[in-house]
Amino acid sequence: MTPGLRKLALIAHITFSVGWLGAVAGGLALTVAGLTSQDAQTVRAAYLALELTARSVIVPLSLASLLTGLIQSLGTEWGLFRHYWVVFKLLITVLATILLLVHLQAISYMADVAAGTALSSTDFRGLRMDLVLKASLAVLALLVATTLSVYKPRGMTRYGWHKQDEQRKVSRL
Amino acid sequence: MANQSPYAGSNGSTPRWVKVFGIIALVLVLLFVILHLTGNSPFGPSSHTPPMEQGVQ
């Protein structure tokens, strides 16, 4: 990639990734409100907003973060499988995206229930607590990914060492 | 990421942080799988499959 394109790709990746983290944090706040609020209107609003946020913000941002991350790694010398920190970030992103898509069903279900009836503090408590737990874990996972992005801890994979040897041989010719 | 040249790395051994991360990740994945396969999710039934009936008034 040209330097200009690299910067653009980097800006896009940072924007989508940190935006994803922020949106998930907002989602966490909504799940906590849905679980703990004593006001029926607030609980209803929280789950409706959670579904809207998940479908229209969190999912697109997660997919955009994954895509721009792939472009960043494959379009630069970092590569996708050469450095452990990139591999871990990829795993975190892919896993978080898959789990998000799987849990959309539960989120939509809670939104449908909340829209149709006033939830008491004990209704669907297990599911509501689980939404809080999953949102918390998602925030944690994305914080780990962000930390890896900044620190870029040392460590090349076997594939990375192999590619590096290849490049050195080529540069000597 | 794009503005830095990749570092060479000191040797071919796997860094300690990778091993620690790997162990933590493996434990979490195993825990997740075991809990969901046994239906013993911390807060009740599997969360991504909505319950058939639950205390709705």
Side-chain angles (χ1 to χ4, degrees), chain A residues 6 72 77-78 84-85 88 102-103 105-106 109 117 123-124 126-127 129-130 134 144 152-156 161 164, chain B residues 1-4 6-9 11-12 14-15 17-18 21-22 32 36 41-43 47-48 50-51 54-57:
Chain A
R6 276 190 182 190
Q72 272 291 97
E77 287 182 8
W78 287 106
Y84 281 113
W85 71 269
F88 273 106
V102 166
H103 284 90
Q105 189 182 6
Y109 180 78
T117 185
D123 291 336
F124 297 96
L127 180 56
M129 289 173 80
D130 199 71
K134 298 289 167 59
V144 169
K152 298 182 180 59
R154 289 177 176 267
M156 291 182 78
W161 284 111
Q164 190 177 66
Chain B
M1 185 161 106
N3 295 328
Q4 290 184 8
Y7 45 77
N11 56 49
T14 304
W17 74 268
V18 174
F21 259 64
F32 182 84
H36 276 71
S41 177
F43 302 110
S47 64
H48 48 264
Q54 261 194 33
V56 178
Q57 298 177 0

Side-chain angles (χ1 to χ4, degrees), chain B residues 16-36:
Chain B
R16 188 189 304 176
W17 74 268
V18 174
K19 294 174 185 171
V20 171
F21 259 64
I23 290 169
I24 292 172
L26 188 63
V27 167
L28 287 174
V29 167
L30 283 174
L31 197 64
F32 182 84
V33 168
I34 289 169
L35 285 175
H36 276 71

